[in-house]
Amino acid sequence: MDAAAVGGAMTAASGIRVEPALRAFDLDRVRIADDSAFAPARDRMLHLARVYPVDRLLAVFRANAGLDTRGATPPGNWEDFGHPSEQAWGEADYPGRENAQTANLLRGHYAGHFLSMLSLAYAGEQDAALLAKIDEVVAGLGEVQRTLAATGRYSHPGFLAAYGEWQFVRLEDYAPYGEIWAPYYTTHKIMAGLIDAHELAGSADALEIAVAMGHWVAHRLTRLDHDRIQRMWSLYIAGEYGGMNETMARLSAVADEPLFLEVARLFAQDDLIEAGAERRDILTDMHANQHLPQLIGYVHEYELTGDRRYLDAVLGLWDQIVPGRMYAHGGTGESELWGPPGAVAGDIGHRNAETCATYNLLKLARLLFAHTRDPRFMAYYERAVHNHILGSRRTVDSDDSPEVTYMFPVHPGAVAEYDNIGTCCGGTGLENHVKYQDTVFFAGDDAELWINLFIPSTLEWREQSATVHLRTELPFAGTVEVRIDDAGGFVDGTPLTVRVRMPEWVVGEVTLRIGEEPVDAVEEGGYLVVRRPWRSGETLRIEAPMALRALPTPDDATLHSIEFGPSVLVARSDATTTLDLGLANRRRVDGSIAADAAVDARAIGEALRADGAVRIDGFRFAPVWTGGDERYHLYVRAAAPVIGFVGAETDVPVRSRQDGGSFLDDVWRQPVPASRAAFLDRVAAAAADARRDGLLAQGELVRVLAAAAAADVDGTMTPAVADAVETDAAALTWSERIDDGIRSIRWEVPAPLAAARTLPSIEILTDAPASPSGWFTTLPVVRVVAEDLGSSGDLRIELAIGEDGWAPYDGPVALPGEGHHRVAVRVTDADGATAHASREFAVDVSAPTSRATVRRLGASVEITLAADDEVSGVERIQWEGPGTFWATFQESFVRALSEHEQIIEFAATDRAGNEEPRRRLVLPAREEASETGLIEPWT
């Protein structure tokens, strides 16, 4: 494994080196077990690495250099040939927008990622075929670099790209995105691939090519003034340079060239570094993955210069991202931009969590952990690698596509965006799945092993002449075994220190044993530390209890992710509006929630292992990492319709105060009760308040108290029978007794409480149900039903829609139109007691509108489909033509003109389920098109 990437030893050209506290092991020394949840994704990506043709990767480079492309087609999508008349343009040869396709101005980046993937795969597998493929890619890039240099058209012979040098010149004149597309980003990917090939596969030629590129970069940047460079890097996307500072820092070390370290520092973005060091948040509306790779580079620059401001800036910026801008699966950003600090629920859109960003956050987390040993970085790493990254690989085989996500969205009823040949996330996705072993173990001082992730694997601990076997039932159960075996020379009785991370998801007491004997361990910095003499064959067994948990978002206490151990579970449902679940009715005092039938953690794990899902409130919940194509809900809303507890439901409706609070909110407010007795105390206080506030009638109070007594809130499955009596006591209290093994609870209800008033009940109904998506696709009519639960008689009903003021309710009301509407109702009885209720409605009654754009390509046409829907959003566009089926549109496609007219039909569907009538695009016969040059749009 390359030292620069993992924080290992690296010579600094500056003569200064800040060593990280921990070191990773080489990739070939750690092997992920074949029965691991990670192995299928690894194996599918290794297959792609072995079968994908090198000529396809090199095609865009060879075309740019005027070399024979050997009949190969480029990977496609962003990674395609440019304009048909494009030439090997130099820095002064700006061709104009009409001759430079923005869609392909990033070409070459994918080959760089593929070279990194091959190098990582070879480092782990030591497969000679992979090494031969690395050499073939490197040789092809070297030929292109030499050919470009021989033209004399470029500013420096080290230039290597699949497009002209003019992009860099236009960047220096502040050209916007759309005219250019992040030229240094592509340079970074190519150089990173070459350095990986050198460090991981020993390619001297790769280093020679990278060094030449480094001198070309130095030639371009060292002649620019500081202010110009700063403005370049601030340009949205156009100035995105990936991790050029990381690459130049790495190159300075491996090539022993101080100039490259100075060039790395030219990529510093002053305002970002200053804000991070001052812990001043400037991230809102910034392009997440434009800046995350920079942070990785700053850590490397800290290592090579000792300049602490780099590390301080990164730590300050990290704290602004995790957890306040992090979704439950570890992703960040909406439409590639960061939202406001602490806004997780408030920043859920339709294009959340770019996978590239998580790729870079993982690289950053392991670097920061290596330097600080702070377990929060490993907590993030586990969350993101288990959920976002593992889940980003589709569970299909492919010979030509990485089958990974671009966005891994988190909105209700989302579908993961797989495939992504040639995109940025397709590139990082190539690398993600062939290096799962890189963070499982770290080495500390002397004979010290850090176990960071519970992924079944084997380590060759050569320094101790030992083999470490890590076996675990995760992600289905919290049993972990660590066995140390002799690998040829291990001496029994050797003192070793094993540090095992204690994850944040552990619920209950952790136990450690060797054989039947308990093991003494101390907790240090989030790790359990075992220091002892070891014998070959001894197995340390760790029991880390897991449970089903519901975790709220920081900005909306009602919106939760559902998690089991390290796995985030997603609800599988065709709805595209937020699912309401009675989570409060399932809570236990240890912070866990119960699944349907109140099964324990072992049964939940077995259900996930056997069936791939567990049911909660009737919904099927599966790990997000399974990589399926079904709709999913990463977040659900806690919204119990009736009061209940684990194993003890009632028919008593949940009623809210004017501020939205309810009896169940009061019972489970923080800090939650820590025992069954504390739970009953909390119920007594909350029930008394609810009764005084009129949220419970006297009969309802009695039923709620009986349910609390019968509830299995501590997992002991020992419910009690209950009775409630009216007394002269000052407060609602409880007492317990056990007769013949039967537990009973006596509730004493003060007489004034029993006589308290009761608020009216309210139901908000509609004339027709919502569609399966959760949206109303016809305009709903709202009806209010109120019932007097007291004895006052008359009720006054008022209604408010959205921001409108209160108005008397005289009968059913139609909602005002499309969009999200909150209908609030208040009902006041003759005594002045007022009850409140509200309901959210999502309404989309209109189909989306699609359109086609046609571009003539000689005897063929390129067709691009697009659609708009301003309410629920576009779900998909489908199309078919002669000889095709009704398929989902993915990307622009080409149709050859024929002797006969062709009709292409297409239509869009929105997320609410509305589908527009089919539209028609008429392609004329080849002869007619030649004569008229016209193509009829659609009819």
Side-chain angles (χ1 to χ4, degrees):
M1 182 68 184
D2 77 270
V6 301
M10 182 168 63
T11 302
S14 66
I16 299 171
R17 173 64 190 177
V18 179
E19 293 287 348
L22 302 174
R23 304 177 306 281
F25 292 93
D26 291 344
L27 287 175
D28 64 336
R29 294 174 60 180
V30 183
R31 178 72 185 177
I32 299 295
D34 290 341
D35 62 353
S36 164
F38 293 85
R42 173 201 65 194
D43 294 343
R44 287 187 171 103
M45 201 59 78
L46 286 173
H47 170 77
L48 181 66
R50 292 183 171 110
V51 303
Y52 197 81
V54 168
D55 284 341
R56 294 193 65 185
L57 299 171
L58 295 174
V60 292
F61 290 93
R62 288 170 171 158
N64 187 58
L67 295 170
D68 182 5
T69 61
R70 306 180 186 182
T73 58
N77 209 344
W78 298 357
E79 193 74 15
D80 213 336
F81 293 130
H83 192 277
S85 63
E86 189 165 343
Q87 304 171 34
W89 287 311
E91 63 175 345
D93 299 324
Y94 176 49
R97 292 192 185 191
E98 68 278 4
N99 290 320
Q101 298 177 147
T102 302
N104 299 136
L105 288 181
L106 216 63
R107 59 186 181 273
H109 78 107
Y110 194 70
H113 280 299
F114 211 102
L115 183 55
S116 287
M117 184 258 278
L118 289 171
S119 302
L120 290 162
Y122 170 72
E125 302 296 316
Q126 296 296 299
D127 181 344
L130 291 171
L131 180 60
K133 207 161 192 175
I134 291 167
D135 291 342
E136 187 179 354
V137 175
V138 170
L141 292 174
E143 180 189 21
V144 169
Q145 188 181 53
R146 291 189 298 273
T147 302
L148 293 174
T151 67
R153 300 186 68 173
Y154 301 97
S155 66
H156 188 281
F159 178 73
L160 173 59
Y163 46 71
E165 194 176 7
W166 62 268
Q167 276 207 82
F168 297 90
V169 180
R170 297 298 299 139
L171 172 63
E172 291 163 11
D173 287 334
Y174 316 131
Y177 170 56
E179 182 177 328
I180 63 172
W181 190 355
Y184 277 107
Y185 175 94
T186 302
T187 301
H188 164 241
K189 304 311 174 188
I190 298 168
M191 293 184 72
L194 290 164
I195 297 172
D196 286 341
H198 171 67
E199 292 192 323
L200 299 174
S203 173
D205 290 344
L207 179 60
E208 181 179 345
I209 299 167
V211 166
M213 291 185 72
H215 283 293
W216 167 78
V217 173
H219 172 76
R220 286 227 68 89
L221 293 182
T222 54
R223 57 187 182 180
L224 304 178
D225 64 70
H226 176 267
D227 290 345
R228 181 175 292 271
I229 289 175
Q230 288 299 302
R231 184 172 171 186
M232 285 162 54
W233 304 153
S234 70
L235 295 173
Y236 172 72
I237 294 186
E240 181 177 357
Y241 60 71
M244 277 302 301
N245 53 348
E246 173 199 2
T247 286
M248 295 305 294
R250 289 175 62 191
L251 190 60
S252 74
V254 297
D256 192 24
E257 174 53 79
L259 171 64
F260 293 157
L261 182 56
E262 292 307 308
V263 174
R265 302 185 78 164
L266 294 179
F267 286 94
Q269 192 168 339
D270 292 349
D271 60 342
L272 195 65
I273 293 175
E274 290 168 5
E278 296 169 4
R279 296 188 172 265
R280 177 168 41 87
D281 196 315
I282 63 169
L283 298 184
T284 301
D285 293 332
M286 291 182 74
H287 185 260
N289 205 52
Q290 179 165 345
H291 301 290
L292 283 172
Q294 297 174 227
L295 308 189
I296 298 167
Y298 295 150
V299 178
H300 285 292
E301 290 176 84
Y302 161 68
E303 292 175 347
L304 295 178
T305 66
D307 188 341
R308 177 75 194 195
R309 74 185 180 114
Y310 286 124
L311 184 61
D312 289 343
V314 174
L315 290 170
L317 293 165
W318 175 275
D319 290 341
Q320 296 170 23
I321 301 167
V322 179
R325 289 181 168 98
M326 180 197 75
Y327 302 107
H329 61 8
T332 188
E334 158 60 13
S335 293
E336 304 189 12
L337 306 179
W338 277 308
V344 174
D347 201 41
I348 293 176
H350 287 167
R351 289 186 57 76
N352 288 107
E354 183 185 7
T355 303
C356 278
T358 300
Y359 159 91
N360 281 307
L361 278 170
L362 286 175
K363 294 178 73 173
L364 187 59
R366 68 197 304 275
L367 275 173
L368 293 175
F369 177 71
H371 278 283
T372 67
R373 298 189 290 192
D374 189 329
R376 66 194 172 108
F377 298 115
M378 277 300 109
Y380 173 80
Y381 198 99
E382 179 183 61
R383 174 177 293 276
V385 79
H386 264 275
N387 295 291
H388 191 156
I389 297 303
L390 181 56
S392 72
R393 180 56 171 86
R394 195 178 192 180
T395 52
V396 297
D397 298 323
S398 177
D399 290 350
D400 60 7
S401 171
E403 289 293 351
V404 294
T405 57
Y406 192 117
M407 297 296 180
F408 202 146
V410 302
H411 60 266
V415 178
E417 299 180 5
Y418 293 116
D419 189 15
N420 289 297
I421 296 171
T423 69
C424 56
C425 293
T428 54
L430 292 169
E431 301 177 39
N432 279 330
H433 307 282
V434 296
K435 59 184 180 73
Y436 283 125
Q437 71 269 42
D438 67 356
T439 308
V440 178
F441 304 99
F442 274 4
D445 298 329
D446 302 323
E448 183 180 69
L449 181 67
W450 292 65
I451 300 176
N452 303 315
L453 304 174
F454 296 153
I455 298 176
S457 50
T458 301
L459 164 68
E460 293 181 20
W461 198 4
R462 295 170 188 165
E463 296 82 354
Q464 301 302 324
S465 303
T467 301
V468 180
H469 300 278
L470 178 63
R471 294 292 175 263
T472 173
E473 293 185 57
L474 261 78
F476 304 114
T479 301
V480 179
E481 292 184 345
V482 182
R483 190 178 82 237
I484 296 179
D485 287 338
D486 176 23
F490 180 79
V491 177
D492 283 349
T494 297
L496 301 175
T497 299
V498 176
R499 295 176 178 265
V500 182
R501 187 176 66 87
M502 281 299 95
E504 58 186 2
W505 46 257
V506 170
V507 176
E509 183 180 355
V510 177
T511 61
L512 295 87
R513 293 181 177 274
I514 293 181
E516 297 300 318
E517 297 298 319
V519 173
D520 290 331
V522 296
E523 193 277 329
E524 294 180 3
Y527 281 67
L528 289 179
V529 184
V530 178
R531 296 184 177 92
R532 64 187 301 277
W534 288 79
R535 299 177 61 85
S536 176
E538 284 186 323
T539 299
L540 173 66
R541 183 179 176 88
I542 305 158
E543 295 289 350
M546 293 165 55
L548 200 61
R549 301 180 299 155
L551 303 182
T553 58
D555 54 329
D556 185 347
T558 70
L559 197 67
H560 293 72
S561 60
I562 306 299
E563 307 186 7
F564 183 66
S567 300
V568 176
L569 306 185
V570 292
R572 297 296 190 182
S573 167
D574 287 336
T576 56
T577 54
T578 304
L579 302 178
D580 291 342
L581 273 69
L583 297 179
N585 299 4
R586 301 169 170 276
R587 297 199 64 165
R588 289 195 168 109
V589 294
D590 62 0
S592 67
I593 62 170
D596 290 359
V599 291
D600 60 16
R602 173 62 64 176
I604 290 170
E606 290 304 318
L608 291 172
R609 190 196 307 270
D611 303 326
V614 63
R615 289 198 173 272
I616 306 172
D617 215 7
F619 291 98
R620 183 172 172 265
F621 278 79
V624 71
W625 48 258
T626 53
D629 291 316
E630 300 172 77
R631 288 191 186 279
Y632 61 86
H633 294 248
L634 191 77
Y635 293 104
V636 295
R637 191 169 301 284
V642 295
I643 294 172
F645 307 102
V646 178
E649 294 292 334
T650 76
D651 61 352
V652 179
V654 174
R655 302 188 184 97
S656 298
R657 302 179 180 88
Q658 185 173 0
D659 64 3
S662 70
F663 164 73
L664 286 176
D665 293 334
D666 293 344
V667 170
W668 296 112
R669 71 177 185 273
Q670 294 291 335
V672 299
S675 65
R676 181 182 178 84
F679 163 74
L680 293 175
D681 287 342
R682 182 70 66 80
V683 167
D689 287 343
R691 182 73 185 99
R692 276 190 290 268
D693 293 342
L695 303 183
L696 295 173
Q698 179 61 15
E700 294 173 337
L701 173 69
V702 172
R703 297 200 294 278
V704 167
L705 296 177
D712 179 29
V713 293
D714 58 1
T716 61
M717 303 299 289
T718 55
V721 296
D723 64 331
V725 296
E726 185 177 328
T727 71
D728 294 328
L732 196 161
T733 61
W734 64 278
S735 58
E736 181 180 53
R737 75 174 182 276
I738 301 176
D739 292 325
D740 297 328
I742 299 175
R743 176 181 284 120
S744 62
I745 299 293
R746 177 183 174 88
W747 296 95
E748 296 188 4
V749 182
L753 197 62
R757 68 183 183 183
T758 304
L759 297 179
S761 70
I762 305 171
E763 287 186 278
I764 304 174
L765 306 174
T766 59
D767 57 338
S771 70
S773 68
W775 289 79
F776 286 85
T777 53
T778 57
L779 199 63
V781 174
V782 174
R783 180 167 56 93
V784 178
V785 175
E787 180 182 358
D788 184 13
L789 299 180
S791 57
S792 59
D794 270 346
L795 296 178
R796 184 173 77 254
I797 305 174
E798 296 170 285
L799 181 144
I801 300 176
E803 299 299 321
D804 295 344
W806 293 103
Y809 173 77
D810 299 321
V813 177
L815 291 181
E818 295 183 316
H820 291 270
H821 304 287
R822 180 178 182 271
V823 175
V825 175
R826 66 184 182 190
V827 177
T828 305
D829 65 17
D831 295 329
T834 302
H836 294 265
S838 64
R839 182 174 170 183
E840 302 286 340
F841 294 88
V843 182
D844 186 351
V845 301
S846 302
T849 302
S850 62
R851 60 190 180 278
T853 302
V854 181
R855 188 165 66 96
R856 185 71 181 270
L857 300 172
S860 302
V861 293
E862 180 186 72
I863 301 171
T864 303
L865 303 179
D868 299 303
D869 187 281
E870 298 300 324
V871 187
S872 62
V874 176
E875 174 62 26
R876 64 184 178 273
I877 306 173
Q878 293 170 284
W879 71 279
E880 69 178 336
T884 66
F885 58 92
W886 189 238
T888 299
F889 173 75
Q890 298 285 351
E891 59 187 6
S892 300
F893 58 93
V894 174
R895 297 285 294 190
L897 299 178
S898 68
E899 296 177 1
H900 305 286
E901 180 182 272
Q902 299 178 64
I903 295 177
I904 307 295
E905 293 191 325
F906 58 96
T909 303
D910 63 25
R911 299 181 69 247
N914 299 303
E915 182 175 0
E916 69 173 339
R918 288 195 182 192
R919 296 177 178 271
R920 304 174 77 223
L921 172 67
V922 180
L923 303 182
R926 184 167 49 237
E927 183 176 343
E928 179 185 345
S930 298
E931 293 174 355
T932 66
L934 298 177
I935 295 174
E936 184 181 345
W938 59 72
T939 58

